[in-house]
Structure formats: structure tokens, C-alpha cells
Amino acid sequence: DVKVTQSSRYLVKRTGEKVFLECVQDMDHENMFWYRQDPGLGLRLIYFSYDVKMKEKGDIPEGYSVSREKKERFSLILESASTNQTSMYLCASSPGTGGSYNSPLHFGNGTRLTVT
Amino acid sequence: ILNVEQSPQSLHVQEGDSTNFTCSFPSSNFYALHWYRWETAKSPEALFVMTLNGDEKKKGRISATLNTKEGYSYLYIKGSQPEDSATYLCAFNTNAGKSTFGDGTTLTVKP
């Protein structure tokens, strides 16, 4: 089974701090994604990556950046955390062009971030 | 931003009731539609991958249909059980491999 591991389940940070959310997958997937989920809203795509050192903006990239130095690891960075970034963050992975665009996403358990 | 809509937003049913929900998506640039189940304190898990117009998929008491020409998919649960309580998400995929999610339908099944 694919395992997607997010480094923290719960995180509390102060406004203005730089925050790193880490995600590791163990199935050699090319694609990795960061979503956030807020009450009453679906999963909204922040950033995604199709390969090492590649990144693409999703629908809500403002205030975030990402890093993918190794295939298995995709980091989400909040450069200067703000209270409106309090949310549930979900990492996901899927096979890339070598696999199939039909393949569903495999999700981590999520990180609930609170910015005070 | 692609518009993927799910209805209803929430649903409360009694154990044994059958229920269904809807996912609406753009009818152009369709590549695949995914249904996920997201239980509390767990990660979303894929239920179905649907790619062809007219597709029907089934897993136990849960089934789904797909109409790509009119841009909708239905998810059906027959004889709902309390363990079916979860948020059900649909995700629309283009050939870029990017998933756009609906807001989800939260199902609560009362014993």
C-alpha cells in the first residue's frame, strides 16, 4: 500500500513565523500535491509538483511556497504565517505519466495548523 | 478555476435508508472523475475512478454512475449503515493530472 506521511498531525505557530510542513511518500510517485481544507469548502489546491525540482501553482498559492529536492519529499512553506492560514493541510501523491492520469490520489493524514 | 459542485452539502438518514448524491463538473476537457470517502480522523480514500461516459461502478452497497456529456455523476448508497457516515468527495481530472474537488457531501447515518 502507498504510504503518505505528514510530519505533524497538529501544529501551533505564531503569526509571522516561517512554517515548514513535510510530506514523504514511499511509492516512487512522480506527482505530489498540497491541499488545504476549510469548513464548508472542499479541498483547494495550493501547489503541486510533477517531478523533482518542478513546481506548479495551484488555485490558492499566495502566501505559500514549496520545495521538492527529492522525489519522495514535498515540503510546503509558509513564509510568514498568518491567522488566515489556520487550516487542515493535506498532502497527496499519484503516479505520473509513467502511470496514469486516471490514478486516484493517495493522501496523508493531514496536519491541522493553528496560527495564533 | 474549474467549478465542481456537489449536492446536497449534508445529509442525515436513518440506518437502512438508501441515499444518493450528485457531483456536477465541466463537460469539456474531461479525463476522469474520482470519488473519495473521508472518514473523521482519517485520510480521504478513493472509492471509484470513472473515465467513460455511461460508466457504472460498484463496491458492495455503494455504486456510482457517470454522464460526461451532461457533466454529472451520482453516488448511491443502498441500505445505509452507521459506518457509511463520512464526507464523500468527488474530484474532476483534466489530462494535466490535476484534481479539482467539490465541497463534499457529509453523510450521517443514525442507528
Side-chain angles (χ1 to χ4, degrees):
Chain A
D1 271 356
V2 176
K3 191 165 184 184
V4 180
T5 304
Q6 294 183 229
S7 54
S8 304
R9 194 67 191 263
Y10 298 95
L11 211 52
V12 180
K13 295 292 181 180
R14 293 181 184 269
T15 301
E17 275 193 82
K18 190 169 186 175
V19 182
F20 294 85
L21 302 184
E22 306 287 349
C23 175
V24 177
Q25 50 94 3
D26 65 359
M27 279 300 288
D28 203 36
H29 283 171
E30 281 85 1
N31 302 332
M32 295 189 76
F33 306 82
W34 276 106
Y35 288 87
R36 66 177 279 178
Q37 196 265 336
D38 300 289
L41 300 175
L43 299 179
R44 293 182 291 166
L45 183 63
I46 305 170
Y47 265 97
F48 58 105
S49 169
Y50 289 144
D51 202 349
V52 176
K53 297 200 186 287
M54 290 184 64
K55 58 184 179 184
E56 298 278 346
K57 291 181 180 179
D59 299 322
I60 51 165
E62 297 78 20
Y64 303 95
S65 62
V66 289
S67 172
R68 191 150 181 218
E69 296 296 318
K70 293 184 178 181
K71 192 173 186 179
E72 67 271 18
R73 185 180 296 269
F74 192 36
S75 303
L76 179 70
I77 304 157
L78 285 66
E79 297 290 344
S80 177
S82 62
T83 54
N84 63 12
Q85 293 178 309
T86 292
S87 187
M88 167 72 86
Y89 290 88
L90 284 160
C91 174
S93 73
S94 70
T97 55
S100 167
Y101 289 134
N102 291 342
S103 298
L105 301 180
H106 298 264
F107 285 91
N109 280 337
T111 296
R112 187 166 293 282
L113 173 67
T114 302
V115 182
T116 61
Chain B
I1 297 178
L2 298 171
N3 194 27
V4 179
E5 296 184 352
Q6 290 188 247
S7 62
Q9 187 174 22
S10 64
L11 203 51
H12 296 257
V13 302
Q14 289 294 135
E15 182 175 354
D17 287 350
S18 294
T19 187
N20 65 85
F21 359 108
T22 306
C23 173
S24 302
F25 51 85
S27 54
S28 59
N29 293 323
F30 176 87
Y31 200 81
L33 188 90
H34 299 159
W35 281 100
Y36 295 84
R37 175 167 59 202
W38 192 3
E39 296 177 68
T40 303
K42 295 185 178 180
S43 55
E45 290 185 348
L47 283 172
F48 300 116
V49 175
M50 311 188 77
T51 56
L52 298 174
N53 185 44
D55 252 359
E56 291 189 27
K57 296 282 176 83
K58 188 174 181 181
K59 187 183 289 189
R61 294 179 290 97
I62 305 177
S63 60
T65 60
L66 179 69
N67 184 323
T68 59
K69 292 184 179 179
E70 296 183 35
Y72 64 83
S73 175
Y74 293 137
L75 188 80
Y76 300 92
I77 302 179
K78 185 177 177 182
S80 302
Q81 299 297 309
E83 58 264 31
D84 295 328
S85 297
T87 295
Y88 292 83
L89 298 167
C90 69
F92 171 80
N93 275 30
T94 64
N95 62 1
K98 191 177 86 166
S99 294
T100 299
F101 284 82
D103 292 349
T105 294
T106 299
L107 174 68
T108 304
V109 183
K110 299 176 184 176

